[in-house]
Amino acid sequence: MKIFAANICSERGVVNKSVTRLEDLAKLAGVSISTVSRALNDSPAVNARTKQLIWKLARERDYPFRNYMPAGPIGAEATIAIVVPRPQGREGGLSDPFFLELFAGVGEAARERGCDVLVSHVAPSSYEDLYAAMTTSRADGVIFLGQSSLHTAFNRLAESDRRFVVWGAQLPDQNYCSVGSDNPLGGRRATLHLLRLGRKRVVFLGDTEAPEAMQRHRGYLDALRQSGLPVDPDLIVPAHFEVESAEASVDSLIQRGVAFDGVVAASDLIALGAIRALRNNGLTVPGDVSVVGYDNVPFSRYSRPALTTIAQDTAKAGRLLVSKLLDASSRGARSERVPTDLIVRESCGA
């Protein structure tokens, strides 16, 4: 089913009495008919601001401007745009292994629905960037992979346009739909596993400001309280979502003489960086220090030692992101969490 408001209305028995013409769009936009035609065809002769206005008017008035786009080899039921905001914490961006897994989950779900997927070059860092990503795209909807520091901006965007879904944390006063994992539970399970193995001084390694990592950190704190252990600020160590950053952070921790026997990492990349630093300083994993990651990216099972980690169901996440974006009944739908699972391998000792 084509996802046009006109089609949806006709299925409900409502018949449009008038059809929007190029002349109507030209009059509303205050430009010539030829300019409207060029804008709808994404001509470089028309500036971005004018295209943005014309596409917005066309969408609001159910003008079938997708018909002007070059036809695909099969003819997709819809087109989904994937936009990755400028990272907060996940410095790897598009190359981050977890995002690649999430891309795959969205792609498979879109294929099942007969939809095309395009990946935008845009990396929004403000409300204006988000608004432009929505209004200058002729896709039927946008999936934003990551919240970065844009929670307030997404709330503002939802006031005027709900054709988007966000992968990320569920936050207080959230007015937009997000899909993500149960980060507090994942962080708590990872920490409790090490504490039950007898580890007493467990490091949390990761960014505590990025929304998802912040919630994993909260789970870590909950586990300490549940076990009756004090929170030691020396054991909360910042690190970006990349191997080199984590390696440097753990190396610094060791050089400062801080004693620890476990690491809960905010991602698998961070966990691998921690293992490298431990080995370079003559410590064994899991003999001296147990390590748990987060994400269960494919290489985690092949590392040495194989990495204990928290798995997120990216296939289910992809299906939820696509369905909440495309299904008319889901526009403005409630946010949803996918389950997490502790995958025990060699890096924690048991």
Side-chain angles (χ1 to χ4, degrees):
M1 174 180 83
K2 298 287 185 182
I3 311 177
F4 299 127
N7 291 352
I8 294 172
C9 289
S10 63
E11 288 177 358
R12 295 174 180 172
V14 179
V15 179
N16 291 332
K17 295 182 179 181
S18 61
V19 177
T20 301
R21 303 168 301 167
L22 285 177
E23 293 91 329
D24 300 322
L25 295 177
K27 183 176 180 180
L28 288 167
V31 298
S32 66
I33 294 175
S34 61
T35 297
V36 172
S37 178
R38 293 189 186 99
L40 294 174
N41 283 283
D42 198 18
S43 168
V46 182
N47 66 57
R49 185 179 295 275
T50 301
K51 287 180 187 177
Q52 181 177 335
L53 172 61
I54 291 171
W55 291 355
K56 180 175 183 291
L57 291 170
R59 185 176 287 114
E60 289 175 348
R61 285 154 181 78
D62 302 330
Y63 187 83
F65 60 99
R66 274 172 49 90
N67 293 341
Y68 284 77
M69 298 171 67
I74 298 176
E77 289 294 315
T79 299
I80 298 169
I82 293 180
V83 176
V84 182
R86 195 168 300 282
Q88 178 187 1
R90 283 190 184 271
E91 297 297 336
L94 290 175
S95 64
D96 186 296
F98 175 72
F99 275 165
L100 295 178
E101 289 292 296
L102 202 51
F103 275 126
V106 170
E108 289 299 325
R111 176 182 290 177
E112 291 173 3
R113 299 286 295 264
C115 299
D116 283 339
V117 176
L118 62 88
V119 180
S120 174
H121 70 283
V122 174
S125 60
S126 66
Y127 166 76
E128 289 73 22
D129 292 343
L130 294 180
Y131 182 78
M134 293 294 298
T135 57
T136 60
S137 169
R138 289 181 290 178
D140 295 279
V142 177
I143 294 175
F144 292 98
L145 294 187
Q147 287 160 306
S148 187
S149 57
L150 297 171
H151 171 61
T152 301
F154 280 125
N155 269 346
R156 182 180 172 190
L157 185 65
E159 295 175 1
S160 59
D161 197 332
R162 289 188 173 271
R163 297 175 302 109
F164 71 93
V165 181
V166 179
W167 167 265
Q170 188 166 2
L171 301 172
D173 304 319
Q174 184 168 305
N175 297 325
Y176 57 91
C177 178
S178 71
V179 174
S181 73
D182 191 337
N183 292 294
L185 177 60
R188 185 164 69 250
R189 291 184 69 181
T191 308
L192 285 174
H193 183 68
L194 294 187
L195 297 178
R196 288 165 182 161
L197 291 175
R199 303 300 182 175
K200 298 298 184 183
R201 290 184 58 78
V202 177
V203 169
F204 179 84
L205 185 61
D207 191 325
T208 58
E209 294 184 1
E212 291 181 281
M214 174 185 65
Q215 292 187 340
R216 293 167 195 177
H217 175 242
R218 191 175 78 204
Y220 161 85
L221 297 176
D222 289 343
L224 293 180
R225 296 189 189 98
Q226 181 178 332
S227 302
L229 294 174
V231 176
D232 186 345
D234 286 340
L235 299 181
I236 299 173
V237 182
H240 292 302
F241 283 74
E242 56 187 13
V243 171
E244 294 78 11
S245 175
E247 185 176 2
S249 293
V250 173
D251 187 65
S252 175
L253 189 68
I254 294 170
Q255 298 307 314
R256 288 189 285 116
V258 178
F260 62 98
D261 55 11
V263 173
V264 169
S267 79
D268 288 347
L269 282 180
I270 292 175
L272 291 184
I275 291 173
R276 282 179 55 175
L278 291 167
R279 284 179 168 173
N280 290 341
N281 284 275
L283 298 172
T284 62
V285 178
D288 296 312
V289 181
S290 293
V291 179
V292 181
Y294 204 109
D295 285 340
N296 193 34
V297 296
F299 62 68
S300 63
R301 73 194 68 179
Y302 303 118
S303 66
R304 289 293 176 265
L307 185 63
T308 296
T309 186
I310 298 293
Q312 304 183 79
D313 191 339
T314 52
K316 182 174 182 179
R319 290 192 297 272
L320 283 171
L321 287 165
V322 171
S323 66
K324 287 181 179 294
L325 182 68
L326 297 184
D327 295 340
S329 61
S330 294
R331 296 293 171 85
R334 65 180 178 86
S335 297
E336 194 160 343
R337 303 302 96 191
V338 297
T340 56
D341 191 20
L342 176 66
I343 308 297
V344 178
R345 299 193 181 107
E346 299 167 350
S347 66
C348 63

